[in-house]
Amino acid sequence: MRYYLTLVVLTIAFIGKAQNIKTISGRVQDAKTGRPLPYSSVFIKGKSIGTIANQNGVFSLNISDNLANDSLTISHIGYTNFYGIVKTLSEEISVRLTEAVVNLSEVSVEATKLSAEVIFNLALEKINNEDGYLQDQFRLDAFYREIHTSGSERTGALECAVEIYDNSLTQNFKEIVIPQFRKVYDRQQNIDQFIQTKEGHNHLLLLLNGGINLIPLASKYKSTIWKLPLEIEKITYFNDRLVYVLSNMSSKRRELRVFIDLEDYSVYKNELILKTEEDDQANYAWRKVTTDGEKCGSIRDHQAYEYRKVNGKLVPYYFFRKMDFRCYDLTENKISSKAALSKELLINNTATENVPKVSPDKLKRKKGLMNRKEPYDSAFWRYFNDLKDISIDKQLIDEPIQTGANTSVQVKAYAPKSAIESRPLKIGDHNTYQFNRADTLYGSLTPLLTCYDVGYYHLKIDVDPEKEWIKGVSIITFKMIEPSNRIRIDLLEYLKINSISFVDQELNYTRDLDAVYVNFKQTLKRDSTYSIEVAYEGRPLDIDFDIWAGGFMWDQDDQGHPFMQSLCQGYGPKGWWPSKNHVSDEPDSAAISVTVPENLFAVSNGVLLSTEPLDNGRNRFNWKVTNPINNYNLAVHIGDYEQSQENYKSQNGADLSIDYFFLSQDEELAKEKVSMVPKMLEAYEKYFGPYPFIEDGFKIVQSLYPMEHQSCVAVGQYFDDQLILHETAHEWWGNSVSSSDNADIWIHEAFATYAESLYIEETLGYDLGQEYLNVKKGDIHNDHPIVGVKGVNHFHYRIEDKYFKGALMLNTLRHMVDNDQIWFNALLSIQQDFRHSFIDTKTLLTYMNDKLEADYSNFFHQYLNTVNIPILIVQQIGDQKFKYKWEATEKDFSMSLKWNQFVISPSTEWQTANFPMEDFEKIKRLEGRYLIKVDLK
């Protein structure tokens, strides 16, 4: 089915035209002291329309005339509410709230007997059961503000209206539209590295999903800060309801409060403050070590999420998060830079009836908002309820550009959108190991797949950026392993096959989900080579990062030029072109011919053979790959690219051409960031051997999303150092040495992540290399075994542990071996003996046991096939006598540990040892060398 591009015109001055608006402004103060009450709630009783006072207690609320007989309500935690009929109130009011003192005799005896833990668990149960939360289709109208500061200079700000559409308040949002921007200011072109906008993070999405789906309180997130023990701090009033205030103030570095309804256990607010001293870099929150040897993180992270009831349902109301960042130079032992980020989201209207289906904004990708430029319509903002400017912000934000009251914004959409939304993937829930027939069909090697071996692909495609449409031909050349008159290829079921031809014949075929069964008129002979041509067209599969399925990403750069790329790891190339989709079959070589509008450049794998100008204002780029290549790594990147080049002398003496492709708008950024590339290649060649694809060259490509596309490494939009290191490491780990089933994808990701630390070690020293790895421990979930399930394409679930836990497991093994010559010789041997070939977990572990000259089978089983991190229990039983053992390990687990001059070999049974007290206190440092937890009794 063809989807025609349409223009949907949003008339954004509609508010206030259909009905009159009354604006009530004022200030909320403490009746006794006169001090302002910041962030007081201001809303219409029983309705979802409202706003919130700023730091000075100042507010302004627009109210339509059909609410003239309703009550304006103003509330603040711990105070009695203010009520006033809208039509009787003047446009300027002064509100003085009286502190509400709770008389405990009014509180039921049974309620006060409940412990904080019981109260909290009852609240969790209510959330998990979605009891009292919106579960129907709804729309939230919201206001979002984001402010960036670098050093003492305010560097960026944005404000925007947001429309949020979804079905449940306990799920991540996927449908978001931004109809209006205003007051965008960007003094340093968004270069605040610690705020991580250059990694493409979308702070609106992080704030929205962090609050609305109640992640901080969901019981499945057992490792979060919210697992801290709580106590009942007090009972007070919130919007005329009695609430428990549960808190944990036991640490100097954190404060935690949760406000829970006394009767029905609804969570009205949760608030967390993480803090540390400015130079206490070891305890920075959300920290990471950069490739420059700086530890960057937050010294203060204040976040709060507030909800209120409308028609008996709890709805979001106001979220904020304010973070103060530092970068600490670990070599100079001093603060090297400072930054701050403030973000606020006000939900000022909730609708649950007649909610339309919408075209989602491309916001659901991770791309940030700071550089977004759109027209400003003063009429829209005149009647839109937002957060009244705080005085400090007024110094920061430029005056908006006036474009007239009747300005409208045109937003691109696809019609009929409902047709696209009706294209669900039929895979199971891989997160819960619920596999279905489609998973087996996609992941298993059936006889109609194993009967032939692909030797060569030639993909010829014409890409239409306006229609987001691909039309082309996939020429598949293959050798028959077993005779057959039928083979299977794969293509997304929603892409149209125009024909399948063989020599001069047009072949019949049948389709089953994404599987395409091709019928020949004669039996194809064993050891003979054949070619078929599959002509197809359609709109490729959109990226869904929740389940890691996709085919293509469509976007624009800041100048409005199309900016696109293929991205299909996990689901496979069938998401955008016809192929044999299983990862175990790599072609020996390939070619890609890409036709695009003449103002664009198409980058693909291998060497560019030619560029052909066509008569229709389009150019064809012809690329050739001479090495074996993973089918998901055959890729296209399309944009307004410029190119630079340099030469590199490989370890084996060969000349390697390095090409850099970057958007015209980002030339200066690109040249600065890629200066590390030759040193990186030198380090990787030292540890893993010569670059494995010399004949195809090496390219770094600016892209919408990072991916290890062989010989044209996609590094994301901002040339982040870590992404350059990681995706390039895949040229060895993943592209040259490849897993034969996605269940073993950890081999790609763990070794590539570990390689990052080796570059740090090579350039900044061993200690910083270890620090670089250890800060990743906070990203480990321990909720799935690293090795997945074979035969079902088990890739689409949370995969962080394959990266970070896998890398730290390798680092642990290095220290167990305790001989760097043996260790690094083993890594080099893997690359030499399995170059351009496949490997699975069993084969790799057997090989490593041999090369490391010991049997580590139980160690590998513990870290790869279970979710538990070994816990070393050490207990003092005498003056200098201690006992120790392992907990949370498999029965036969063993690991020798070394610190100072001591070596111990714990088991699951108690053992004893003698060593000085000062050494006992240093045992905790073992966590820096091994992926274990040390519990000192």
Side-chain angles (χ1 to χ4, degrees):
M1 183 178 294
R2 183 180 298 270
Y3 305 101
Y4 294 97
L5 180 66
T6 63
L7 291 179
V8 178
V9 178
L10 300 179
T11 306
I12 57 180
F14 69 94
I15 306 176
K17 285 189 174 182
Q19 51 198 0
N20 295 322
I21 294 292
K22 180 176 182 177
T23 301
I24 298 179
S25 302
R27 170 172 291 183
V28 188
Q29 298 172 285
D30 182 294
K32 185 175 181 180
T33 65
R35 67 179 179 85
L37 296 178
Y39 308 119
S40 296
S41 300
V42 183
F43 58 95
I44 303 300
K45 185 178 181 180
K47 302 291 194 302
S48 58
I49 297 170
T51 187
I52 196 162
N54 66 19
Q55 289 180 346
N56 298 319
V58 175
F59 69 90
S60 180
L61 179 65
N62 296 309
I63 308 170
S64 61
D65 57 2
N66 63 333
L67 300 175
N69 294 317
D70 285 86
S71 294
L72 177 71
T73 305
I74 300 176
S75 68
H76 191 88
I77 292 176
Y79 287 78
T80 57
N81 282 5
F82 165 88
Y83 295 104
I85 303 301
V86 171
K87 65 182 180 182
T88 65
L89 297 174
S90 62
E91 293 184 351
E92 289 286 339
I93 61 176
S94 178
V95 180
R96 302 177 73 86
L97 300 184
T98 303
E99 189 170 5
V101 179
V102 177
N103 185 342
L104 292 180
S105 64
E106 297 176 359
V107 181
S108 70
V109 175
E110 288 299 319
T112 57
K113 285 183 177 180
L114 294 178
S115 69
E117 181 180 4
V118 170
I119 296 167
F120 186 65
N121 286 334
L122 288 169
L124 282 180
E125 182 179 353
K126 185 179 180 71
I127 293 171
N128 291 329
N129 294 334
E130 301 188 21
D131 179 17
Y133 296 88
L134 285 177
Q135 299 179 53
D136 301 323
Q137 180 72 24
F138 61 81
R139 163 180 163 165
L140 305 177
D141 291 313
F143 170 80
Y144 177 70
R145 172 187 290 149
E146 182 177 311
I147 298 173
H148 297 240
T149 304
S150 180
S152 60
E153 182 179 17
R154 300 182 184 96
T155 58
L158 65 86
E159 296 182 335
C160 58
V162 183
E163 297 171 6
I164 306 159
Y165 300 81
D166 218 311
N167 294 315
S168 173
L169 285 180
T170 57
Q171 301 296 323
N172 285 341
F173 284 100
K174 297 185 177 70
E175 307 295 324
I176 300 174
V177 174
I178 295 185
Q180 265 287 310
F181 257 64
R182 73 170 177 178
K183 300 181 179 178
V184 177
Y185 177 63
D186 188 9
R187 183 172 299 163
Q188 292 187 353
Q189 297 184 344
N190 197 24
I191 63 172
D192 310 56
Q193 59 174 322
F194 354 96
I195 296 176
Q196 296 182 313
T197 51
K198 280 303 179 190
E199 294 179 10
H201 286 301
N202 190 308
H203 301 300
L204 167 58
L205 287 185
L206 293 175
L207 183 67
L208 180 64
N209 288 324
I212 293 185
N213 70 2
L214 301 176
I215 283 178
L217 295 176
S219 59
K220 66 180 180 179
Y221 289 82
K222 294 180 180 178
S223 62
T224 69
I225 195 75
W226 297 96
K227 196 184 177 184
L228 290 171
L230 295 165
E231 61 181 27
I232 301 176
E233 178 183 329
K234 60 183 176 180
I235 297 174
T236 187
Y237 282 96
F238 177 80
N239 195 15
D240 288 346
R241 299 280 296 183
L242 283 172
V243 295
Y244 294 105
V245 182
L246 307 185
S247 65
N248 182 298
M249 306 293 180
S250 59
S251 170
K252 293 181 179 179
R253 295 204 297 265
R254 60 179 174 247
E255 298 177 10
L256 171 64
R257 280 191 174 88
V258 187
F259 299 80
I260 298 176
D261 190 285
L262 198 70
E263 294 182 6
D264 67 8
Y265 306 107
S266 296
V267 177
Y268 289 123
K269 183 177 181 180
N270 50 79
E271 183 173 17
L272 171 67
I273 301 175
L274 301 176
K275 53 189 176 180
T276 188
E277 297 298 324
E278 186 173 48
D279 58 355
D280 185 12
Q281 47 82 17
N283 290 304
Y284 285 179
W286 328 123
R287 62 189 183 273
K288 69 173 185 177
V289 175
T290 72
T291 55
D292 294 325
E294 296 177 324
K295 182 176 282 188
C296 298
S298 173
I299 64 169
R300 184 177 175 85
D301 180 1
H302 186 185
Q303 50 187 297
Y305 305 92
E306 186 174 322
Y307 315 88
R308 58 188 172 88
K309 283 189 175 179
V310 176
N311 298 325
K313 298 289 186 180
L314 214 62
V315 299
Y317 184 51
Y318 176 65
F319 306 156
F320 79 80
R321 190 168 187 181
K322 299 177 180 179
M323 306 175 76
D324 193 4
F325 294 89
R326 294 293 182 271
C327 273
Y328 189 90
D329 190 320
L330 294 170
T331 58
E332 298 291 333
N333 291 322
K334 65 179 183 180
I335 299 293
S336 55
S337 49
K338 304 178 181 181
L341 168 66
S342 171
K343 47 186 177 174
E344 301 172 274
L345 182 73
L346 167 68
I347 309 296
N348 52 37
N349 194 17
T350 304
T352 57
E353 296 181 358
N354 302 317
V355 178
K357 291 284 186 179
V358 298
S359 171
D361 194 281
K362 294 182 178 181
L363 182 69
K364 66 182 177 182
R365 300 176 189 151
K366 288 189 175 181
K367 188 175 182 180
L369 301 176
M370 184 56 72
N371 291 322
R372 187 167 176 145
K373 303 290 193 298
E374 292 193 9
Y376 169 81
D377 184 357
S378 59
F380 180 95
W381 292 105
R382 188 178 306 146
Y383 302 107
F384 187 85
N385 284 314
D386 59 9
L387 287 161
K388 191 172 181 62
D389 285 346
I390 302 169
S391 58
I392 193 171
D393 299 338
K394 289 187 175 181
Q395 305 169 25
L396 165 67
I397 303 173
D398 286 344
E399 285 299 315
I401 300 172
Q402 301 293 336
T403 58
N406 296 320
T407 302
S408 63
V409 176
Q410 293 183 327
V411 179
K412 181 169 70 172
Y414 284 88
K417 180 63 185 175
S418 58
I420 294 177
E421 290 175 340
S422 67
R423 307 194 311 176
L425 297 182
K426 299 178 176 65
I427 63 174
D429 184 355
H430 292 193
N431 190 53
T432 58
Y433 295 77
Q434 301 298 309
F435 304 110
N436 60 20
R437 177 175 167 274
D439 298 314
T440 303
L441 184 67
Y442 301 163
S444 62
L445 284 168
T446 61
L448 293 182
L449 289 172
T450 59
C451 70
Y452 75 101
D453 174 59
V454 175
Y456 178 75
Y457 287 113
H458 188 177
L459 178 61
K460 304 177 181 179
I461 57 171
D462 191 321
V463 180
D464 188 332
E466 288 297 318
K467 294 182 179 179
E468 298 185 0
W469 197 264
I470 288 179
K471 184 174 184 179
V473 173
S474 175
I475 302 173
I476 308 173
T477 301
F478 56 94
K479 179 180 179 180
M480 294 303 295
I481 307 301
E482 297 292 339
S484 178
N485 63 354
R486 198 176 189 220
I487 66 170
R488 173 186 147 189
I489 61 173
D490 300 277
L491 182 67
L492 178 68
E493 62 179 310
Y494 305 113
L495 295 177
K496 178 185 177 183
I497 294 177
N498 293 323
S499 66
I500 302 179
S501 57
F502 171 66
V503 190
D504 295 326
Q505 307 171 7
E506 185 164 327
L507 301 179
N508 294 323
Y509 60 90
T510 57
R511 304 190 73 168
D512 180 8
L513 299 176
D514 293 353
V516 181
Y517 298 97
V518 183
N519 302 306
F520 295 86
K521 297 179 181 179
Q522 68 269 18
T523 298
L524 306 183
K525 299 178 181 180
R526 179 188 289 116
D527 294 332
S528 295
T529 299
Y530 304 91
S531 291
I532 61 173
E533 294 189 11
V534 185
Y536 76 106
E537 66 178 299
R539 188 176 187 276
L541 180 65
D542 282 318
I543 308 300
D544 187 338
F545 290 111
D546 291 336
I547 58 173
W548 256 107
F552 228 80
M553 299 181 74
W554 311 86
D555 211 325
Q556 293 182 343
D557 63 21
D558 294 342
Q559 310 304 319
H561 303 120
F563 187 26
M564 302 161 285
Q565 77 171 92
S566 60
L567 186 70
C568 58
Q569 186 184 24
Y571 197 71
K574 64 182 179 179
W576 66 285
W577 62 280
S579 61
K580 180 179 176 180
N581 200 68
H582 202 276
V583 295
S584 65
D585 196 347
E586 292 184 354
D588 301 318
S589 59
I592 301 182
S593 300
V594 188
T595 301
V596 295
E598 60 186 355
N599 64 322
L600 300 176
F601 196 103
V603 183
S604 189
N605 313 84
V607 176
L608 180 61
L609 299 180
S610 63
T611 302
E612 302 175 62
L614 305 179
D615 295 335
N616 56 359
R618 302 172 74 79
N619 289 334
R620 180 184 296 128
F621 295 84
N622 298 304
W623 293 85
K624 174 70 173 178
V625 181
T626 60
N627 285 284
I629 184 170
N630 290 331
N631 53 22
Y632 73 81
N633 271 330
L634 280 168
V636 294
H637 312 83
I638 301 169
D640 179 30
Y641 283 120
E642 298 288 341
Q643 179 183 7
S644 66
Q645 187 180 62
E646 65 178 312
N647 293 318
Y648 171 81
K649 182 71 72 173
S650 179
Q651 185 188 73
N652 61 5
D655 290 325
L656 174 65
S657 172
I658 305 178
D659 292 273
Y660 305 106
F661 290 90
F662 45 85
L663 298 180
S664 301
Q665 67 184 38
D666 292 323
E667 181 175 1
E668 291 184 10
L669 171 68
K671 290 181 177 179
E672 173 192 350
K673 301 294 282 185
V674 301
S675 61
M676 66 179 287
V677 169
K679 183 65 178 178
M680 170 189 64
L681 291 175
E682 182 181 327
Y684 285 169
E685 287 200 327
K686 172 183 175 180
Y687 291 109
F688 312 135
Y691 175 71
F693 308 108
I694 291 285
E695 303 84 354
D696 292 325
F698 176 70
K699 295 178 286 297
I700 295 288
V701 185
Q702 188 174 8
S703 61
L704 287 166
Y705 197 86
M707 183 55 62
E708 62 267 23
H709 295 145
Q710 186 172 307
S711 74
C712 61
V713 175
V715 296
Q717 298 179 61
Y718 307 114
F719 295 94
D720 179 81
D721 294 350
Q722 181 268 329
L723 293 176
I724 293 175
L725 288 173
H726 184 85
E727 305 307 338
T728 300
H730 277 307
E731 294 283 59
W732 286 264
W733 302 100
N735 298 349
S736 181
V737 178
S738 306
S739 64
S740 53
D741 190 290
N742 274 328
D744 297 319
I745 202 72
W746 75 271
I747 298 172
H748 299 200
E749 303 303 348
F751 280 93
T753 305
Y754 180 67
E756 298 171 33
S757 73
L758 294 182
Y759 171 82
I760 301 298
E761 181 173 330
E762 186 71 14
T763 56
L764 299 172
Y766 168 84
D767 290 339
L768 287 184
Q770 293 299 297
E771 185 74 27
Y772 182 86
L773 275 178
N774 282 316
V775 296
K776 298 180 185 297
K777 288 180 178 177
D779 296 316
I780 296 175
H781 297 291
N782 293 319
D783 55 358
H784 291 285
I786 291 177
V787 176
V789 180
K790 291 191 175 183
V792 290
N793 197 37
H794 193 197
F795 187 86
H796 312 276
Y797 64 100
R798 193 162 60 186
I799 60 176
E800 289 90 340
D801 284 8
K802 298 177 187 292
Y803 293 71
F804 309 123
K805 186 177 180 180
L808 283 154
M809 177 197 74
L810 295 174
N811 190 55
T812 299
L813 185 57
R814 173 188 179 180
H815 291 100
M816 288 176 63
V817 173
D818 198 27
N819 185 318
D820 275 358
Q821 183 175 354
I822 292 177
W823 171 248
F824 289 117
N825 281 342
L827 298 186
L828 183 60
S829 295
I830 294 170
Q831 286 296 323
Q832 292 171 339
D833 293 344
F834 295 95
R835 182 178 184 269
H836 293 181
S837 63
F838 295 100
I839 197 169
D840 60 17
T841 297
K842 181 179 179 180
T843 303
L844 175 62
L845 302 189
T846 300
Y847 184 89
M848 292 188 73
N849 283 338
D850 177 60
K851 292 296 180 181
L852 298 177
E853 303 174 5
D855 186 357
Y856 295 100
S857 299
N858 292 332
F859 167 84
F860 286 126
H861 178 74
Q862 176 73 37
Y863 284 96
L864 294 175
N865 301 110
T866 79
V867 298
N868 293 327
I869 297 295
I871 301 174
L872 178 65
I873 307 294
V874 184
Q875 183 174 347
Q876 184 177 7
I877 56 176
D879 185 22
Q880 294 190 15
K881 191 172 184 178
F882 305 87
K883 63 178 182 178
Y884 56 88
K885 70 172 183 176
W886 287 120
E887 283 192 358
T889 63
E890 297 296 289
K891 179 180 179 181
D892 297 323
F893 177 76
S894 62
M895 182 197 301
S896 294
L897 305 171
K898 180 179 179 180
W899 82 103
N900 295 346
Q901 73 274 28
F902 296 99
V903 177
I904 59 174
S905 298
S907 68
T908 54
E909 303 295 330
W910 285 112
Q911 300 179 59
T912 60
N914 295 316
F915 38 80
M917 177 58 71
E918 58 266 24
D919 288 300
F920 167 71
E921 294 171 349
K922 294 177 182 177
I923 294 178
K924 191 74 173 173
R925 297 181 185 178
L926 288 170
E927 293 181 347
R929 294 166 57 88
Y930 307 92
L931 182 56
I932 62 174
K933 295 178 182 178
V934 179
D935 187 358
L936 302 180
K937 299 294 186 181

